[in-house]
Amino acid sequence: MFGSLPSVVRNHVAALRMLLVFTVLLGIAYPLAVTGVAQAAFSDQANGSRITQDGKTVGSSLIGQSFNLPKKNPDDAEEVAQPDPKWFQPRPGGYDPLVTGASNLGPNDEGLVKTIKERRAAVAEFDGVAPEDVPVDAVTASGSGLDPHISPEYAREQVERVAEARGLDAAAVRKLVEDHVEGRVLGFLGAERANVVELNHALTAMK
Amino acid sequence: MNDTLAGWLQILALVGALALTYRPLGDHIAHTLTSAKHLRVERFAYRLGGVDGDADQKWSVYLRSVLAFSAVSVLFLYAFMRLQSHLLLSIGMPAVTPGVSFNTAASFVTNTNWQSYSGESTMGHLVQMSGLAVQNFVSAAVGIAVVAALIRGFTRRKTDRVGNFWVDLTRIVVRVLLPLAFVFAIVLVAGGAVQNFHGVDSISTLIGDHQSLTGGPVASQEVIKELGTNGGGFYNANSAHPFENPNAFTNWLEIYLLLVIATSLPRTFGRMVGDNRQGYAIIAVMGVIWAASVAIVTVNELHSVSSQAGHVAGGMMEGKEQRFGIWGSALFAVSTTLTSTGAVNSFHDSYSPIGGGMTIFNMMLGEIAPGGTGSGLYGILILAIIAVFVAGLMVGRTPEYLGKKLGGREMKFASLYILTTPAIVLVGAGLAMALPGERAGMLNTGAHGFSEVLYAFTSAANNNGSAFAGLTVNTDWYNTALGLAMLFGRFLPIVFVLALAGSLARQQPVPATAGTLPTHRPQFVGLLTAVILIVVGLTYFPALALGPLAEGLS
């Protein structure tokens, strides 16, 4: 059909036709097949590992959330939201899945150094511990800006404050934290951690 | 278990898994590239595509097919993004701007996957899965096809034919990439990666705030993003995003996937040239460089070397995820920059000066340890040719590699290959630093700011795609300059590789004599490693001295 065209044109027509073949195979059939199997076999994971409460989705166990007090003036973009003492606090960050990413500040950036010092002082005062005891994950922002996890140390540090703010028995809250401390995957992959969203979700069930 | 032991086990498990895959996958790819039989589905594809599956192409025809396929792909992707608001599944995203569309089309077709956009706020599901993810497959297959032609240059004699591009491309997709991608996509979903067609779901959080949960066919794209050493994230946070990389196991698996094809290809090479020891020598060089790089980055990150922020914070966790920790982040960072992947699970801009500098140096090595799918192997084979040539100069005889003489013509192509990428990197970074507007795109100041610009051009020209992401690159100038750097950095070397393949295939092999340099012994492994480090070191030392070295020493 294209026999009469110059070879350079024929070559590009063949290239386009091959691309369309691949687009159908790899761009439509393949993702649909993966989606089909995923939804049939692992629908919970495939849909974002959602956490529900009273039948309503209240988050994903993979995506961190902010646990701040309401702003005094919700329309004031300048006002910095303050952490709510009744909740376990995540790592610093905005937790907006529409704006993911890191600070990208360099290892010797003066602004970053200053921010870390401020975070350390603020967390120490908030949790009532010595500044040098505040763990590293409490003063650094994650790569995704959505990190749902904190270190077990940071979770333990927050027990007294949460228990007091909620009028709960500190021992019971401490047990809840220990129940939520996850070891390394298969014993050796990654780091130990506690999931703040799951921890706080469990907290809502405590009387 | 303490952190150090766990970190070591993680690395050893990775090396063990790759070692177990080396022979079966390498042999399978070799069989795929040499088998005389077409599968029925492949014949059907050739018929639909209107190509002759039984033709054997000259190197120039092979090259024209590569370039035609890539040119059509760039135009197709560009149009796809410009028109996305009129298409299905756009989840409300407007048309992508011309600058970003050009940059992204160049980026995905060249296996770079540099991203000057944020996926979650720019690309609809259809563009992601039917545009970008398709290129994740085929751009990886193009790299393997090109190295297949080069290997045939060594194995064939007195012919001007180096294989059939359409057959190589189709077979690699159908017999290698697609089956692996399908299986591991399901594994990723089982681990927690999402795979759905939801738009943005607005939910009420535990404290009653609004949060927008994103969806998408993520796992199917994530798996080929790693397997094909592409690296373009569905979301801006890339493999740091919990929906792309939910836990430490998927993290380990993604590192394995981004290394597995490139580390198995030396076996394919050894198998096709009929001497498996040649493959062992190449993988040994790759392994030595990779291991050294893992050690350097991990140590610098663990000890916050020369980082004030790290010392004040008590560790280098800025830009890293708690679930991966330092070890899992450093291992990923090294593997992604030594291949042409460029996916990130932590943000290199906030790495320690030498740790971050090492990720730049990894790319400057030309991504050959083990490198991108196919491109890593052809890159290191060019350097092997240079090493053999250097050895030949020392003893004053015409060098030969695998029985093929390396004369003036062959060395010209090898030299041009070696010179292309540094020229693009250094000219590009130099121009950006000379222009005040472009200089202002740096987020950080001083030496670290320069590193951001150097990283960008190194990443683009080497088709990596990772970034010191503080740099503001979504401007017309950077979109255009980096887009051109990616295109030239991909296709000029391919021109030289295929020309070299044609030149080698024409020769009658010379028999090995007592004076022939053996290229499968530890001696050659040492020689090749030294040549790689010296060539790259001399080329880039001044630029590195202005950026990461200056920062690390100050």
Side-chain angles (χ1 to χ4, degrees):
Chain A
M1 160 160 94
F2 300 103
S4 58
L5 294 169
S7 73
V8 58
V9 176
R10 250 185 300 145
N11 203 12
H12 283 78
V13 170
L16 179 61
R17 288 169 63 176
M18 288 301 282
L19 178 63
L20 294 175
V21 171
F22 285 127
T23 301
V24 172
L25 175 68
L26 306 169
I28 296 173
Y30 159 73
L32 288 181
V34 173
T35 309
V37 175
Q39 289 290 343
F42 305 104
S43 75
D44 180 39
Q45 292 98 314
N47 292 315
S49 307
R50 292 171 181 228
I51 297 176
T52 54
Q53 195 162 319
D54 307 327
K56 274 211 221 116
T57 300
V58 291
S60 160
S61 66
L62 296 174
I63 305 290
Q65 299 182 358
S66 296
F67 295 91
N68 292 325
L69 292 165
K71 282 186 179 183
K72 292 192 182 88
N73 175 7
D75 300 328
D76 182 4
E78 298 286 301
E79 186 189 330
V80 181
Q82 295 301 316
D84 188 336
K86 288 204 297 293
W87 301 98
F88 284 93
Q89 291 296 319
R91 299 178 67 183
Y95 294 95
D96 179 359
L98 296 181
V99 194
T100 67
S103 74
N104 287 307
L105 294 169
N108 292 297
D109 183 82
E110 284 172 19
L112 177 60
V113 171
K114 186 163 162 275
T115 305
I116 290 171
K117 285 179 177 161
E118 288 166 2
R119 285 172 183 159
R120 184 177 292 285
V123 171
E125 197 197 332
F126 191 60
D127 290 342
V129 296
E132 59 272 21
D133 290 340
V134 174
V136 58
D137 55 298
V139 296
T140 52
S142 67
S144 61
L146 302 174
D147 195 345
H149 295 109
I150 54 176
S151 64
E153 295 74 33
Y154 189 32
R156 289 173 189 133
E157 176 189 298
Q158 304 186 48
V159 166
E160 308 284 337
R161 187 245 303 150
V162 171
E164 194 186 316
R166 289 184 167 258
L168 291 168
D169 177 21
V173 177
R174 189 168 299 117
K175 178 167 184 311
L176 188 75
V177 166
E178 294 309 324
D179 289 345
H180 278 82
V181 168
E182 300 168 58
R184 295 186 171 86
V185 178
L186 303 176
F188 66 96
L189 294 175
E192 292 173 354
R193 67 222 173 278
N195 187 311
V196 179
V197 181
E198 289 179 352
L199 188 56
N200 280 334
H201 184 235
L203 207 52
T204 60
M206 283 181 86
K207 289 282 174 308
Chain B
M1 190 181 297
N2 73 37
D3 207 38
T4 311
L5 179 60
W8 274 102
L9 283 177
Q10 176 163 252
I11 294 170
L12 291 177
L14 178 65
V15 172
L18 291 169
L20 284 177
T21 323
Y22 179 77
R23 282 175 62 163
L25 184 58
D27 289 350
H28 174 64
I29 298 174
H31 181 254
T32 298
L33 294 171
T34 51
S35 156
K37 279 212 190 92
H38 300 297
L39 299 181
R40 188 178 298 168
V41 55
E42 292 163 356
R43 276 217 194 88
F44 186 56
Y46 304 145
R47 189 148 8 106
L48 288 176
V51 298
D52 178 3
D54 295 314
D56 205 355
Q57 297 173 322
K58 289 184 195 169
W59 77 265
S60 54
V61 177
Y62 200 100
L63 173 65
R64 280 204 292 274
S65 304
V66 172
L67 295 180
F69 185 69
S70 304
V72 166
S73 295
V74 170
L75 292 174
F76 182 81
L77 260 192
Y78 180 85
F80 211 151
M81 285 181 270
R82 297 287 295 135
L83 297 172
Q84 84 158 344
S85 56
H86 302 291
L87 303 171
L88 289 172
L89 288 175
S90 66
I91 55 169
M93 302 288 182
V96 183
T97 62
V100 172
S101 297
F102 165 69
N103 185 275
T104 307
S107 172
F108 277 71
V109 171
T110 57
N111 199 248
T112 312
N113 300 47
W114 175 267
Q115 296 171 292
S116 64
Y117 62 92
S118 295
E120 58 267 29
S121 59
T122 313
M123 301 296 176
H125 294 339
L126 192 69
V127 167
Q128 298 258 31
M129 78 169 189
S130 306
L132 303 180
V134 172
Q135 287 303 319
N136 282 358
F137 278 96
V138 293
S139 68
V142 165
I144 302 177
V146 170
V147 81
L150 178 61
I151 298 172
R152 291 188 192 113
F154 285 110
T155 59
R156 294 183 177 185
R157 56 184 62 190
K158 305 202 101 168
T159 173
D160 58 355
R161 311 284 154 157
V162 295
N164 183 322
F165 171 69
W166 304 113
V167 171
D168 289 341
L169 177 72
T170 308
R171 285 186 180 184
I172 292 157
V173 165
V174 170
R175 301 190 198 181
V176 181
L177 299 176
L178 189 54
L180 286 174
F182 186 81
V183 170
F184 286 109
I186 302 298
V187 175
L188 284 181
V189 174
V194 303
Q195 180 73 24
N196 58 54
F197 287 99
H198 300 314
V200 175
D201 286 351
S202 188
I203 59 149
S204 180
T205 66
L206 284 169
I207 59 165
D209 272 357
H210 286 293
Q211 192 177 41
S212 303
L213 281 187
T214 48
V218 175
S220 57
Q221 186 161 338
E222 183 72 13
V223 69
I224 189 61
K225 161 187 136 186
E226 316 294 358
L227 188 63
T229 63
N230 294 282
F234 199 94
Y235 302 116
N236 188 49
N238 209 296
S239 294
H241 197 297
F243 280 170
E244 292 195 22
N245 194 359
N247 61 50
F249 170 73
T250 58
N251 187 54
W252 181 89
L253 179 66
E254 289 182 13
I255 302 173
Y256 168 80
L257 288 173
L258 67 87
L259 289 167
V260 69
I261 290 184
T263 50
S264 299
L265 278 172
R267 171 72 180 190
T268 307
F269 165 67
R271 195 67 198 242
M272 284 174 74
V273 300
D275 180 3
N276 287 331
R277 297 173 308 174
Q278 302 292 342
Y280 289 124
I282 296 293
I283 191 69
V285 176
M286 292 174 167
V288 166
I289 295 173
W290 180 82
S293 189
V294 169
I296 291 169
V297 175
T298 305
V299 166
N300 273 279
E301 293 307 294
L302 283 175
H303 298 286
S304 310
V305 179
S306 303
S307 167
Q308 211 195 336
H311 284 294
V312 172
M316 298 300 289
M317 284 301 285
E318 182 71 23
K320 295 192 180 73
E321 301 284 296
Q322 177 66 31
R323 62 192 181 282
F324 308 142
I326 301 263
W327 288 81
S329 301
L331 190 59
F332 198 114
V334 169
S335 302
T336 196
T337 49
L338 273 173
T339 58
S340 76
T341 311
V344 292
N345 78 346
S346 56
F347 282 74
H348 301 175
D349 214 342
S350 301
Y351 269 48
S352 63
I354 304 301
M358 197 66 209
T359 62
I360 303 181
F361 188 73
N362 286 343
M363 294 185 287
M364 288 175 169
L365 288 170
E367 295 165 353
I368 39 82
T373 49
S375 59
L377 183 58
Y378 66 66
I380 203 167
L381 289 178
I382 296 282
L383 284 156
I385 285 170
I386 304 273
V388 172
F389 178 72
V390 169
L393 287 182
M394 289 180 195
V395 294
R397 72 194 298 275
T398 307
E400 59 206 52
Y401 187 41
L402 303 170
K404 294 297 175 95
K405 277 209 163 75
L406 304 174
R409 188 178 161 80
E410 288 78 18
M411 290 316 298
K412 266 180 218 145
F413 292 133
S415 308
L416 284 168
Y417 180 102
I418 297 295
L419 290 172
T420 302
T421 324
I424 298 169
V425 172
L426 297 174
V427 169
L431 275 176
M433 293 310 289
L435 300 168
E438 279 57 52
R439 219 164 42 226
M442 304 184 305
L443 173 69
N444 289 279
T445 53
H448 196 78
F450 172 71
S451 295
E452 289 184 340
V453 174
L454 181 64
Y455 197 118
F457 280 93
T458 306
S459 176
N462 284 289
N463 300 139
N464 186 275
S466 64
F468 268 11
L471 185 68
T472 302
V473 289
N474 190 2
T475 66
D476 283 343
W477 193 87
Y478 276 114
N479 274 330
T480 309
L482 293 170
L484 292 174
M486 291 186 269
L487 290 172
F488 287 124
R490 172 74 163 179
F491 293 109
L492 284 177
I494 283 182
V495 171
F496 303 134
V497 169
L498 289 176
L500 179 64
S503 174
L504 292 170
R506 265 203 302 276
Q507 292 183 29
Q508 172 74 16
V510 292
T513 64
T516 306
L517 175 74
T519 52
H520 60 271
R521 301 237 174 97
Q523 175 204 38
F524 184 72
V525 173
L527 175 71
L528 178 51
T529 310
V531 164
I532 291 168
L533 294 177
I534 291 167
V535 167
V536 174
L538 290 180
T539 311
Y540 289 110
F541 183 76
L544 285 169
L546 290 172
L549 290 179
E551 193 186 0
L553 295 174
S554 63

